[in-house]
Amino acid sequence: MENRYTKISREDLEDLKEAFDKIDIDHSGYVSDFELQELFKEASFHLPGYKVREIVETFIAGDTNKDEKISFSEFVAIYQELKSKKFSETFKKILSRKDGIYSFGGTSGVSCEGTQHSYSNEEKVAFARWINKALGKDPDCSHLLPINPEDESLFASVRDGIVLCKLINLSQPDTIDERVINTKKLTTFTRRENIVLALNSASAIGCTVVSIDAHDLMAGKPHLVLGLLWQIIKIGLFADIEITRNEGLISLLMEGEDLEHLVSLSPEELLLRWVNYHLINAGTDTINNFSADIKDSRAYFHLLDQISPKDEDEFHMGIKINMAGLSEWDLERRAELMLQEAAKLDCRQFVSPRDVTSGNAKLNLAFVANLYNMHPGLHKAKFNLDGEHIEAETREEKTFRNWMNSLGVSPRVNHLYRDLCDGLVILQLLEKVRVVVNWKKVNNPPYPQLGGNMKKLENCNYAVKLSKDEANFSLVGVGGENLNEGSRTHTLALVWQLMRRYSVMVLSDLGNGEKVVDQFILNWVNATLKEKRKDTQISSFKDKLISTSLPVIDLIDAIAPTMVKWDMVKRGERGVLKNDEKLNNAKYAISLARKIGARVYALPDDLVEVKPKMVMTVFACLMGHNLKRGKC
């Protein structure tokens, strides 16, 4: 590191590293433009406005590869360019004055030894209270709850994995078969099993966990714990913020806007649109963000008044919101009065008065999402949609999307086809499967209004060319224009081959390279089952026996003896299982696979319905896990 940055002293370089890590709260190895702006925004009273804008613009301009993320090397290069001693001192002062940030020493495997990590005290308090409310009545968590939000109890609470598993199921019900969670007489080994189960299940619902391992969570590393908790909580909060889950969102259509554009909005954008819809109905000013624009609580008072239940009849009384708090001049006191009104709706979660007045964007986003989930205040739209039909996301599409997001692609994929139409995510996925991408050839956003789609099409053409020429994918009839147009059939054809390549990469590393074919995996499955004297054998990944999940459970028992509790497994009468018995076995099999360390993205229904592609990934992941374990 010293040799690379010869113009900076070791002491200054260490200061820069500390500065970088203070901004990089989730320790992803990158900071975003947003994080930089938030940092300077919070410290703006120390600097003239023009200076803040100048500094932020310099940092954004320094994003050399235009990936909307700034790495440490880019950070240092920008700092070298600025050079100014005055700026250096100013920047250090800003970092030292940032409220609510706690520092601690760390030796994470993804960081340099002795690095200072940081975490937000506000997030710690908010998440602890949310967990207490959400899981307070769960008997399996009684030994951990309630968590004291004022000390470090939150970080200790995740060490046995139970709270994490329960939160995942709260965010995405039935992700984990709770029969698989170790809850009694816990040892270091069984705690680790729970955490491995939680991490692999979190990955399956779209959390990015590539830089977190079981050791980190058992050690209760604050920055990693908070980062994972936020991802899990956010996925749950956003789960119903889509039109197929609530047709009332169609009411948010603006004049002249087509439904396709509304559907393409991210959950964050839809939430902002939802708030403004109610603010317009209240006859008050709209907002542009969940930070600066909500600091005075004005928008929140009007939002609460709009969404609160109204009187229906003498048996269904509404909830009256007291708007008197708007006349309170002290903003923190006003925020407290607003939150007292939110409590009437059972929605006083995630923010404190200070979080409101400081404009904590993350926690205010969570507060608003919870309001939406509890009291959307929307009615079925009366728009004439001219026969437009919104198709719900299929199970296969959701699995692909979660897989992509778990790998940390940027931007996050909310809509499989719309969010892939500029080729950037596909190119990132190609890198994940070890295809070299020349990023100098790639066009990055923001795209110009005139000719912007041509830039996206060039990316898509490059992605398809790499997929055919370098990855050797079979893409007959697939062109860049198909990705750019969001063609379902063509996009799925490419995405499936990317996921397949990712699933068998471990097997390729053993020297088989691109020769890993389905038969190779199938032969291993049957040989392993036979070696362990199991009765089950499968003829292909379409074998109907797979619908019982017995071949998967037998295979898990073969490679991880003692993991299967056979009293949990249904074998049916004369080998014939009912549909609910098949589903129970499938849930058990998928959770067991994740518990032993296989990163399985397939869902229980994929086994019951014998979806051959997803079935193959299950067996490939189990094979890869077993072979990796054998090499350790």
Side-chain angles (χ1 to χ4, degrees), residues 11 14 21 23 40 65 199 222 226 229 258 280 295 304 309-310 317 381 416 419 424 443 540 573 582 594 630:
E11 182 181 352
E14 288 174 352
D21 286 333
I23 305 173
F40 289 112
N65 58 3
L199 284 172
L226 289 178
L229 286 177
D258 60 33
I280 290 169
K295 288 182 178 182
L304 292 170
K310 305 299 185 278
M317 303 298 290
L416 189 61
D419 292 350
L424 287 181
N443 303 308
S540 70
E573 294 183 18
K582 289 181 178 180
R594 292 172 181 160

Side-chain angles (χ1 to χ4, degrees), residues 380-581:
K380 193 167 183 179
K382 298 178 182 179
F383 292 94
N384 178 10
L385 298 176
D386 297 323
E388 287 189 78
H389 176 65
I390 307 166
E391 288 190 15
E393 184 177 47
T394 67
R395 195 170 66 240
E396 181 184 40
E397 290 164 351
K398 185 176 183 179
T399 300
F400 286 147
R401 184 170 57 80
N402 285 341
W403 166 67
M404 294 174 188
N405 288 329
S406 76
L407 298 181
V409 296
S410 179
R412 186 175 179 84
V413 179
N414 295 301
H415 307 283
L416 189 61
Y417 308 111
R418 298 179 194 88
D419 292 350
L420 269 55
C421 70
D422 67 354
L424 287 181
V425 169
I426 295 294
L427 289 166
Q428 291 173 62
L429 292 173
L430 283 165
E431 272 201 331
K432 299 290 184 185
V433 297
R434 301 173 189 163
V435 172
V436 176
V437 176
N438 182 353
W439 289 100
K440 292 181 180 178
K441 293 184 176 181
V442 179
N443 303 308
N444 286 280
Y447 302 105
Q449 280 193 333
L450 187 63
N453 196 57
M454 182 59 67
K455 298 290 185 184
K456 297 178 182 180
L457 180 58
E458 288 173 359
N459 288 348
C460 292
N461 287 334
Y462 182 44
V464 171
K465 177 176 173 56
L466 288 178
S467 299
K468 290 179 177 179
D469 298 349
E470 304 300 326
N472 296 317
F473 291 161
S474 175
L475 295 171
V476 179
V478 178
E481 67 276 9
N482 303 125
L483 299 183
N484 181 245
E485 293 166 0
S487 166
R488 182 178 184 275
T489 302
H490 298 93
T491 302
L492 287 179
L494 174 53
V495 169
W496 158 243
Q497 291 183 74
L498 283 163
M499 187 176 185
R500 184 191 184 283
R501 176 68 57 83
Y502 183 81
S503 299
V504 302
M505 259 195 325
V506 172
L507 312 182
S508 300
D509 289 344
L510 298 175
N512 296 284
E514 304 306 323
K515 298 178 182 177
V516 175
V517 294
D518 289 4
Q519 192 63 45
F520 176 72
I521 301 167
L522 188 67
N523 291 343
W524 174 83
V525 171
N526 285 325
T528 304
L529 290 171
K530 184 177 180 180
E531 180 186 346
K532 299 298 181 179
R533 299 182 179 179
K534 300 294 182 181
D535 295 332
T536 49
Q537 292 278 299
I538 55 174
S539 57
S540 70
F541 296 129
K542 298 178 182 179
D543 195 313
K544 294 300 180 186
L545 182 61
I546 294 169
S547 71
T548 68
S549 295
L550 293 176
V552 180
I553 294 171
D554 277 344
L555 185 61
I556 291 170
D557 186 58
I559 64 178
T562 76
M563 290 297 292
V564 177
K565 297 176 182 176
W566 289 105
D567 58 328
M568 302 287 185
V569 180
K570 305 294 183 183
R571 293 198 173 269
E573 294 183 18
R574 298 179 182 177
V576 178
L577 275 69
K578 300 175 183 176
N579 286 337
D580 60 332
E581 292 175 325

Side-chain angles (χ1 to χ4, degrees), residues 184-453:
K184 309 293 184 186
K185 298 179 180 179
L186 295 176
T187 65
T188 300
F189 180 72
T190 55
R191 289 187 182 95
R192 186 182 185 282
E193 286 180 343
N194 283 346
I195 289 187
V196 170
L197 170 63
L199 284 172
N200 285 330
S201 299
S203 182
I205 66 171
C207 295
T208 305
V209 299
V210 290
S211 61
I212 309 173
D213 61 24
H215 174 75
D216 293 324
L217 297 181
M218 292 180 79
K221 293 183 179 179
H223 62 300
L224 296 177
V225 171
L226 289 178
L228 179 58
L229 286 177
W230 171 238
Q231 289 188 78
I232 295 169
I233 291 169
K234 186 178 178 182
I235 285 170
L237 289 173
F238 284 7
D240 290 332
I241 307 176
E242 60 168 302
I243 292 174
T244 57
R245 304 291 287 269
N246 183 352
E247 288 191 8
L249 286 169
I250 297 175
S251 303
L252 306 185
L253 268 172
M254 293 181 172
E255 187 173 347
E257 181 183 28
D258 60 33
L259 186 60
E260 180 70 17
H261 181 263
L262 183 67
V263 172
S264 72
L265 298 181
S266 69
E268 292 91 338
E269 291 168 326
L270 279 174
L271 275 179
L272 189 61
R273 181 82 67 94
W274 172 74
V275 171
N276 285 333
Y277 167 83
H278 286 298
L279 294 181
I280 290 169
N281 288 341
T284 189
D285 293 340
T286 58
I287 62 173
N288 296 311
N289 53 61
F290 294 122
S291 51
D293 289 0
I294 53 80
K295 288 182 178 182
D296 63 2
S297 299
R298 176 198 59 82
Y300 283 158
F301 267 109
H302 289 292
L303 175 62
L304 292 170
D305 187 51
Q306 288 292 309
I307 65 176
S308 62
K310 305 299 185 278
D311 292 342
E312 294 183 16
D313 52 48
E314 58 182 313
F315 302 107
H316 299 86
M317 303 298 290
I319 297 174
K320 180 68 175 174
I321 299 298
N322 184 351
M323 304 290 282
L326 283 172
S327 61
E328 170 61 54
W329 66 271
D330 182 280
L331 291 186
E332 198 147 330
R333 174 62 185 159
R334 185 191 295 178
E336 169 58 32
L337 294 172
M338 179 275 295
L339 290 173
Q340 290 176 14
E341 299 306 302
K344 294 179 181 179
L345 306 183
D346 194 24
C347 289
R348 184 173 179 151
Q349 279 82 44
F350 293 112
V351 292
S352 66
R354 175 63 182 154
D355 296 328
V356 176
T357 59
S358 68
N360 186 314
K362 180 184 290 186
L363 295 182
N364 278 282
L365 175 66
F367 174 68
V368 171
N370 189 50
L371 282 173
Y372 168 85
N373 288 325
M374 298 287 283
H375 302 280
L378 298 172
H379 304 287
K380 193 167 183 179
K382 298 178 182 179
F383 292 94
N384 178 10
L385 298 176
D386 297 323
E388 287 189 78
H389 176 65
I390 307 166
E391 288 190 15
E393 184 177 47
T394 67
R395 195 170 66 240
E396 181 184 40
E397 290 164 351
K398 185 176 183 179
T399 300
F400 286 147
R401 184 170 57 80
N402 285 341
W403 166 67
M404 294 174 188
N405 288 329
S406 76
L407 298 181
V409 296
S410 179
R412 186 175 179 84
V413 179
N414 295 301
H415 307 283
L416 189 61
Y417 308 111
R418 298 179 194 88
D419 292 350
L420 269 55
C421 70
D422 67 354
L424 287 181
V425 169
I426 295 294
L427 289 166
Q428 291 173 62
L429 292 173
L430 283 165
E431 272 201 331
K432 299 290 184 185
V433 297
R434 301 173 189 163
V435 172
V436 176
V437 176
N438 182 353
W439 289 100
K440 292 181 180 178
K441 293 184 176 181
V442 179
N443 303 308
N444 286 280
Y447 302 105
Q449 280 193 333
L450 187 63
N453 196 57

